[in-house]
Amino acid sequence: VCSSDLTAEAEAEQYRPELVTDEEPRYLRRQRPLEIRRKKFGGRSWPFYRQVAVWSALGLAGAAVAVAGARFLLYSPQMLLLNAEQIEVTGNRIVSRDAVLQKFLRDRNHSVVSIPLDKRRSELAQIPWVETASVQRILPNHLRVELTERTPIAFLKNGNELALVDAQGVILDRPEGEDLHFPILTGISEDMPRDQREKRMQIYQEFTRAIELVRPGSSDRVSEIELANPKDLRAVMTGISGASVPGIPDAASTQAVTVHFGGGDFTGKYRMLVENFAQWQASAGRVRSVDLQYSRQVVINPDASVGGSMARSK
C-alpha cells in the first residue's frame, strides 16, 4: 500500500461526523419574535368600570350619612339626658325613686344612646331590695326602668334588731310604715355564706308548706323558728291541739310549745302532733316541749312546775 493511500484514509478518519465534538459552536437561524397584543385596562369593559364608580359613590354617600347620623345620636341636644323627669321608674314600692336616680347621675348631659344599659342594670341589682331590673331606651331622650323587688318571707333576728329575709337568704332592712306578720327566724346571720342562708331558707319554706297541708293557717301559729342546726328545725308554736279531750281545758290555744321537728318528714310529724297533743297534755300536764326528731318515739317535756319527762313509743 502506498503512502498516499494511507494519508487519505487518516484524513477521512479525522473528519468523520461522529468524531466532531459538541464543543464546536452550532449556528441557528434567528426566529421572528411573536407580537403580543395587550388589552387596555386589564381586559375590563367600560360598563364594569361604570358600575365600580357608581357603587363607590354610593358607599361614600352612605358613609357620610352614617357619620352624620352618629354625630346626631351622640351629640344632638335632642338626644341628651338633661333631667330626672326623663327617667321613668316602675315596679318600686320599697325602693325609693331617688335611690334609682342616683345610679344615673353620671349620665346627665350625655346622649341616651351612649348610656351602658347592662352596667346600669347591674348597679341597680346591687340595691338590697331589688331582685331584678331592666333599663330601656325610649328615643329620643328618655329611659324606662322596671324593677322587681324582693319578697320577704320572715323576720330575722339580727343582734338586737329585727331585719327581714327573702327566699334566697338575702337580708333586708325593715322598711318604715310596713305592717308585716312573719315568724321570727334565728340561726342565720350576715356572716354566713349566701348559699348556706339559701339552703336554710329552703328548709323553712318546706316546713311551712308541710304544716299548711295538714291544717291550713298553721303557719300563722308559728312565732319563732330556730335554723342553727339544719338537721333539727325547732319551732315555737301556739294553738297546736287537735280534738279536745273531755274534762281537759283547751289551754293549748294560747300556750307556746317548742317542737323539735328534725330535718324532714314535716308533714307526718306535724299531723301526729296535732292529732295527739291534747292526749299528751292530758297525760303529762302542761307541755313545755315536744321532740319529734326520733323515728320511733316522741319525747314530751312537761312544764318545770310539773316536773319530769316522758317518752312514748309511736
Side-chain angles (χ1 to χ4, degrees):
V1 179
C2 63
S3 60
S4 59
D5 292 335
L6 293 174
T7 302
E9 291 179 0
E11 292 178 353
E13 181 69 20
Q14 182 178 1
Y15 292 100
R16 285 191 312 180
E18 59 268 20
L19 296 180
V20 178
T21 62
D22 292 337
E23 296 178 356
E24 295 181 5
R26 296 181 180 181
Y27 298 95
L28 299 177
R29 182 179 180 179
R30 182 178 181 183
Q31 297 181 354
R32 183 179 179 180
L34 296 176
E35 182 179 357
I36 300 176
R37 295 183 180 181
R38 300 182 179 274
K39 295 182 178 181
K40 294 182 178 181
F41 305 107
R44 302 290 186 178
S45 62
W46 281 109
F48 170 80
Y49 292 103
R50 187 164 51 247
Q51 290 181 3
V52 171
V54 171
W55 284 109
S56 298
L58 291 176
L60 292 174
V65 171
V67 170
R71 291 183 61 84
F72 175 81
L73 292 175
L74 294 175
Y75 304 109
S76 172
Q78 301 178 27
M79 304 295 295
L80 299 182
L81 185 68
L82 299 175
N83 53 67
E85 286 69 25
Q86 294 172 247
I87 302 177
E88 176 187 354
V89 182
T90 61
N92 61 314
R93 189 174 62 88
I94 304 298
V95 179
S96 67
R97 175 178 170 84
D98 290 339
V100 175
L101 297 180
Q102 286 290 327
K103 304 299 181 181
F104 296 92
L105 286 179
R106 74 195 74 176
D107 300 316
R108 293 288 181 88
N109 299 319
H110 288 78
S111 170
V112 296
V113 178
S114 65
I115 297 174
L117 299 186
D118 290 338
K119 186 175 181 180
R120 297 297 176 264
R121 291 189 196 102
S122 300
E123 293 172 350
L124 290 169
Q126 299 302 314
I127 300 175
W129 271 90
V130 174
E131 183 171 3
T132 60
S134 67
V135 184
Q136 297 176 321
R137 296 185 183 94
I138 308 298
L139 297 179
N141 56 8
H142 283 69
L143 294 175
R144 177 180 297 156
V145 179
E146 297 181 2
L147 302 180
T148 301
E149 294 184 340
R150 296 187 178 276
T151 302
I153 59 175
F155 286 114
L156 179 65
K157 194 172 183 180
N158 190 12
N160 295 326
E161 301 291 334
L162 277 183
L164 292 166
V165 61
D166 73 348
Q168 286 74 44
V170 177
I171 300 174
L172 307 168
D173 293 333
R174 188 176 178 182
E176 297 181 359
E178 294 290 324
D179 187 16
L180 303 172
H181 299 278
F182 297 121
I184 299 175
L185 301 186
T186 58
I188 295 178
S189 66
E190 293 179 334
D191 298 333
M192 186 180 295
R194 168 75 178 277
D195 60 336
Q196 293 297 320
R197 298 201 303 264
E198 185 172 1
K199 288 180 180 178
R200 299 194 185 191
M201 292 306 298
Q202 290 173 355
I203 296 173
Y204 164 75
Q205 293 179 89
E206 180 185 351
F207 169 73
T208 55
R209 286 193 297 264
I211 64 177
E212 285 290 329
L213 289 175
V214 175
R215 179 186 288 180
S218 291
S219 58
D220 295 333
R221 300 288 187 176
V222 181
S223 60
E224 187 173 343
I225 293 180
E226 171 63 59
L227 296 171
N229 182 6
K231 296 182 179 179
D232 181 21
L233 181 145
R234 291 183 293 171
V236 178
M237 308 184 68
T238 59
I240 59 176
S241 63
S244 298
V245 177
I248 301 296
D250 190 11
S253 59
T254 58
Q255 176 186 345
V257 180
T258 301
V259 184
H260 295 250
F261 284 95
D265 189 23
F266 300 128
T267 302
K269 292 175 180 177
Y270 186 67
R271 180 178 289 111
M272 181 175 61
L273 177 69
V274 298
E275 291 176 353
N276 296 279
F277 184 79
Q279 185 63 49
W280 296 339
Q281 186 169 245
S283 301
R286 185 180 179 89
V287 176
R288 179 170 56 88
S289 66
V290 179
D291 195 338
L292 301 175
Q293 61 181 316
Y294 304 106
S295 60
R296 300 187 60 83
Q297 65 180 4
V298 176
V299 178
I300 302 171
N301 295 311
D303 190 272
S305 61
V306 178
S309 64
M310 180 177 58
R312 301 174 62 97
S313 298
K314 292 177 65 176

